[in-house]
Amino acid sequence: MRISVVGLGYVGSVATAGLAQDGHQVVGIDTDWAKIEYYRAGQAPFYEPGLSELVEAGLQRGNIRFFHSSEVREPLGDIIVIATGTPPTQTGGADLTQVKSALQWVKEKQPEGGVIVMKSTVPPGTGVRLMDTLLSGTPFDYASNPEFLREGRAVKDWFEPDRVVIGASDERVAHTVKAMYERIQAPCVITDITSAELIKYAANAFLATKISFINEVAMLCEKLGATIDDVAKGIGLDPRIGPGFLRAGVGYGGSCFPKDVRALDDLALNNGHNFDLLRSVITINNRQRILPLYSLRQLFGRLSGVRVGVLGLAFKPHTDDVRESPSIDLIRLLVEEGAEVAAYDPVAARSAEGVLPGVVRLVADPLGCAEGAQALVLMVEWPQIVKADWGRMASVMQPPMFLFDGRNALNPADARACGFQYRGVGRDAARAAAPVHAGVRG
Ligand code: UGA
């Protein structure tokens, strides 16, 4: 099939390279020249394991090409995939400006029509509305085909999805879209457009709910002296619950969960429904990311002059994405309270530079973070952090050598054996750090 993909962010770039690998003739289009230059050189403009290799392979085979939207002179093909961004609006809804301008561009470029496949995450009801407005009276067919790719494993998720979801108003359109995935082995859910759109939001909201639920149980563990790791394992073994997304810690971040949970809440409200559960999910998540701050205040009193090392800046491991990252929020608060912060991330330092307060010292390795620090906060469970030489790190720190493990990624006994005052989330709270004087230096 001949396919154009409009919008080359995380979803669009993986779709372009994945569809080409699956044997289609694919054109990737964006309005950002810098991105186009990267892709033409066989590189992804952001960190995503395996993506550059996949782009390079497509360029070598000759079935993938990249164009700036102003350069496109040829037909867009049988299928036009829309994968532009839908950033949050001020009220928490989804801003459809980029989606609408992409559709307008497609209409002008190919007035004879084609099948539009919406991969951008748009609020339920959007597709039907677009067909009644912007696409009304045009020869375009429309399908919703939400994406479930996880950053950091998006390439693997593309080729081994749990399911393919297609929402269309008629079966012929749904089957044209399904043909795009001929080589993918996965159950296919074919439904109407609005249901497909809601599947995407409900999936992300449910996963976010699981995380906030386990974080709430972790708080209870602290009160009761129970251990969240064992509790999560014990409940996750029930196949009706499942073990995924039961890792307690500083909560979810990224460009998807926070935005999509808020957007679903906003959508519900606009349709006359109070989705109370989602409000709690958001409140709990906002609280989780500042738990390390509470612990540090408890321990040091005032944080002015306290030297804190923050390990990890991305919103999770294996990505350089710092959008809605709990670590960035925490650092801003620490700096506001006068702490002296050093921070480390194996790949996200460059993307964090633009959003971090200027006084934060970015260091090259976990040891640099520990040097002279009185406290360390582990915010991202990168292997480079979890497998660091913690004994050596402890040896270059100053008392009280406090370690807040915001992802429950370390073995508490091992950390204590290194000399740390260890504190996890929902783990062994009885042994939580004892207060010391404000701003003590060793
Ligand atoms: C998420 C979904 O998992 C994808 O299916 C979806 O396609 C994507 O959003 C999207 O809508 O585009 P992603 O944002 O890449 O993918 O990240 P996840 O791996 O789902 O993690 C999200 C956040 O939850 C991270 O901050 C992670 O640290 C946190 N998390 C995850 C926990 O705090 N606990 C867990 O048990 C699992």
Side-chain angles (χ1 to χ4, degrees), residues 176-257:
T176 307
V177 180
K178 195 175 174 202
M180 216 167 61
Y181 296 107
E182 215 172 42
R183 296 217 189 146
I184 304 266
Q185 299 286 319
C188 185
V189 178
I190 294 183
T191 179
D192 60 276
I193 294 170
T194 306
S195 300
E197 292 166 339
L198 187 53
I199 287 170
K200 167 72 187 188
Y201 277 89
N204 275 359
F206 186 78
L207 292 171
T209 304
K210 258 187 121 176
I211 297 170
S212 280
F213 180 84
I214 204 66
N215 279 331
E216 208 58 337
V217 177
M219 293 303 100
L220 198 54
C221 284
E222 300 207 346
K223 302 271 182 226
L224 301 173
T227 307
I228 192 63
D229 309 60
D230 297 341
V231 175
K233 187 172 177 195
I235 64 175
L237 283 167
D238 182 333
R240 293 169 302 174
I241 297 171
F245 285 74
L246 289 180
R247 278 180 291 112
V250 287
Y252 62 78
S255 66
C256 306
F257 284 3

Side-chain angles (χ1 to χ4, degrees), residues 10-11 121 147-153 157 162-163 200 203-204 207-208 210-211 214-215 243-260 285 289 314-317 319 321 324-326 379-381 406-407:
Y10 282 92
V11 170
T121 300
E147 211 37 76
F148 304 99
L149 305 173
R150 285 163 292 181
E151 285 181 28
R153 19 189 328 168
D157 284 349
D162 302 317
R163 74 291 206 194
K200 167 72 187 188
N204 275 359
L207 292 171
K210 258 187 121 176
I211 297 170
I214 204 66
N215 279 331
F245 285 74
L246 289 180
R247 278 180 291 112
V250 287
Y252 62 78
S255 66
C256 306
F257 284 3
K259 165 174 86 91
D260 293 351
N285 197 58
R289 55 180 63 196
F315 80 95
K316 67 171 190 178
T319 178
D321 196 342
E324 298 264 358
S325 164
M379 292 296 282
V380 188
E381 67 278 31
R407 295 292 179 185

